[in-house]
Amino acid sequence: MTVDRNEIVIFQGSQLIEKTRPEKGFFIKSKKRYLSPKDGREHSKFSWEPVTVGDLWVDETDRKCQMHFVVYRSSGSIEQVDQPISRQSYTLFGSYKLDAHRVDLIDKVLRKNRTGLRIRKWTATEMLHLKVTKRLMDELLGNAEKCGQNLSQYCTTLLSGKHPRAAFTDEELDLLRNLKKSRGDVLLQFNAMVAEFAHKPDEERFRAVIHGKSFDWWRNHLITALEFFDRMRDRTLNMGG
C-alpha cells in the first residue's frame, strides 16, 4: 500500500484504536472558563474529553505532508484536526501493513501537535455498586490475591471479558531466576571449556569437566528445578487435574 498525490488512503481512526489498543481511545484537551466563588474571578480549567475520530488520512500538498483527523465531539460538533508530519512518517503510514504499527505512528505524531488531540488510556470515572454473598466475596478476594491484583482491578478485568492469570508465587519466580542464571552459567562454562580444553585429548577433557567444581554447582541447580517440577506434577495429580 502506497500513498501518493493521486491516492489518499483513509482509515477509521477510532476503529483502529479499538482493534489494536482497546484500553486506549482518542481524547482532546478542552479548556473551560468558570467563575471561582473564592475570589470572584474567572479561571481556566483543562480536562480531557473523549472523542470519536472518523476518517483519518495523510496527504501531500505543495510538498508539505500532513495527517488529518475528523473529530466528532459528544456535543455533536465536528471538526478537522490537521497535523504536519515528516516525509518519513508520510511514507511509513502508507507502507505499514499492520494496524498496530500504524496506530503507534499516529500516537507518535499526535504527541507533537498543539491542538490537544491525543491517544490516551481510558480512566475509571464511573462507580459500580454490587451486592454479593460472603462466599462470593471471599472467592473474589482470594482469586484477586492469586493474580496479584486488588479486588477492583480483578473485577474490572472480569467484567471486561478477560481472564486474569494467576501471578507467579515467590517459589516459582525463584525457580525461573535460577533457571535463567543456570542457563547463563552453562553457556559461560561451555565457552571456557572450548578455550581451555581445545588442545587436550578427549579423555582429559571429560575428566576435567566432570570433576570440576562448576559441574557440581550447576548440576545442583538443575536438580532443584526438576524437584520443583515433580512437586508441581504431584500437586496437579492430587487436585485431579
Side-chain angles (χ1 to χ4, degrees), residues 70-89:
V70 178
V71 177
Y72 297 83
R73 291 179 178 264
S74 57
S75 62
S77 63
I78 304 174
E79 60 188 85
Q80 181 171 315
V81 174
D82 306 311
Q83 173 62 28
I85 59 175
S86 66
R87 178 160 295 279
Q88 180 185 17
S89 297

Side-chain angles (χ1 to χ4, degrees), residues 108-224:
K108 184 178 180 180
V109 168
L110 286 179
R111 292 179 186 275
K112 298 179 181 179
N113 84 48
R114 297 182 179 180
T115 60
L117 185 64
R118 293 286 192 279
I119 294 176
R120 291 169 52 91
K121 281 190 174 182
W122 289 94
T123 56
T125 58
E126 306 299 320
M127 295 294 295
L128 178 64
H129 299 279
L130 292 173
K131 280 189 176 182
V132 298
T133 63
K134 177 67 166 57
R135 181 177 178 179
L136 179 56
M137 176 62 82
D138 292 341
E139 182 180 343
L140 291 172
L141 287 170
N143 290 339
E145 184 177 0
K146 291 178 182 178
C147 295
Q149 297 178 323
N150 59 40
L151 181 62
S152 177
Q153 293 170 333
Y154 180 75
C155 291
T156 300
T157 305
L158 287 179
L159 291 172
S160 299
K162 300 176 183 178
H163 301 284
R165 293 184 178 182
F168 287 115
T169 64
D170 291 340
E171 182 183 16
E172 291 167 339
L173 288 174
D174 188 51
L175 169 69
L176 293 175
R177 294 190 194 100
N178 284 334
L179 285 176
K180 183 177 180 180
K181 188 175 186 303
S182 298
R183 176 179 178 274
D185 291 333
V186 172
L187 290 175
L188 289 174
Q189 185 183 23
F190 172 80
N191 292 333
M193 287 164 52
V194 171
E196 185 175 353
F197 306 129
H199 304 293
K200 291 186 178 182
D202 291 347
E203 292 184 1
E204 290 188 29
R205 295 180 197 172
F206 295 141
R207 190 178 300 111
V209 172
I210 297 301
H211 294 292
K213 293 183 179 179
S214 59
F215 174 84
D216 292 334
W217 187 87
W218 66 262
R219 180 176 178 276
N220 290 334
H221 272 326
L222 294 178
I223 290 175
T224 301

